[in-house]
Amino acid sequence: MKTKSFLILIAGIFLSVFLSCKKEVNPTLDTDILVCGTKDPINDLNWLADEMKFREFYRINSEKINGVVLYDYKGDNVIEVQCSLCSSTNIHQYKCDGTKIDFTNSNNYNDYLKNRTKVKVLYGTEIWTF
C-alpha cells in the first residue's frame, strides 16, 4: 500500500510540474507587424525555421539561438540571429530571402550599427545591444 501511495504521489508531483511549465515558442511576436510579408516569420520563412530547428536540435550547447531581432536598415527588414556563443556579431544578419548580408567590412558594419532601428524582438532575448 505504501508503494502504491508513493507512486501516486510522485506521479501527481510530476504531473503538476509538467502542467505548470508552459513553453511559449514565440511570446514576443506582435502579430500586427508584417516581417518580410508575414505575421509569423519564425515559422513562415523557411530558411529561418530551418535555422531555428538546426540550432535547437543539432547544436546542443554550441551556437544556440538566444534571440531573433528585426531591424529596419535603410528601409529594408534585417533579421539578426543572435547567440551568446557565436564567433562574431557581424555575420548573422539576413535579408528576407535568407541571404546573409556581408558586413565583414568594418565600415559597412559600423554603418549598420549606427543607422539601424530595432523594430521588434521576434524570438527569445536580445543579447547584442550595442
Side-chain angles (χ1 to χ4, degrees):
M1 185 68 177
K2 286 183 180 182
T3 304
K4 188 175 183 179
S5 297
F6 180 73
L7 290 175
I8 290 172
L9 176 66
I10 295 296
I13 291 171
F14 177 76
L15 186 60
S16 65
V17 169
F18 179 74
L19 292 176
S20 68
C21 295
K22 183 177 179 182
K23 181 179 179 184
E24 291 186 45
V25 174
N26 203 5
T28 59
L29 181 61
D30 182 349
T31 56
D32 292 334
I33 296 175
L34 282 180
V35 179
C36 300
T38 181
K39 290 184 178 185
D40 187 7
I42 300 295
N43 294 304
D44 292 346
L45 298 177
N46 291 334
W47 68 268
L48 185 54
D50 290 345
E51 182 77 8
M52 299 285 289
K53 288 175 191 168
F54 175 76
R55 289 181 185 248
E56 181 68 26
F57 296 111
Y58 297 108
R59 295 186 177 230
I60 303 301
N61 292 316
S62 173
E63 296 188 10
K64 284 189 90 165
I65 294 174
N66 293 89
V68 177
V69 183
L70 173 66
Y71 290 97
D72 177 79
Y73 177 62
K74 296 184 178 181
D76 292 323
N77 285 165
V78 174
I79 297 173
E80 190 170 274
V81 177
Q82 300 182 354
C83 61
S84 61
L85 297 177
C86 290
S87 60
S88 180
T89 58
N90 67 333
I91 58 170
H92 299 282
Q93 294 78 20
Y94 299 88
K95 296 179 182 179
C96 287
D97 66 359
T99 305
K100 280 189 176 187
I101 300 173
D102 183 11
F103 286 131
T104 54
N105 177 306
S106 62
N107 291 330
N108 293 344
Y109 185 60
N110 288 332
D111 183 67
Y112 167 71
L113 293 176
K114 181 179 175 184
N115 295 304
R116 69 184 180 178
T117 304
K118 182 171 79 172
V119 178
K120 186 75 178 167
V121 176
L122 302 175
Y123 172 84
T125 303
E126 177 184 22
I127 59 171
W128 300 339
T129 57
F130 39 88

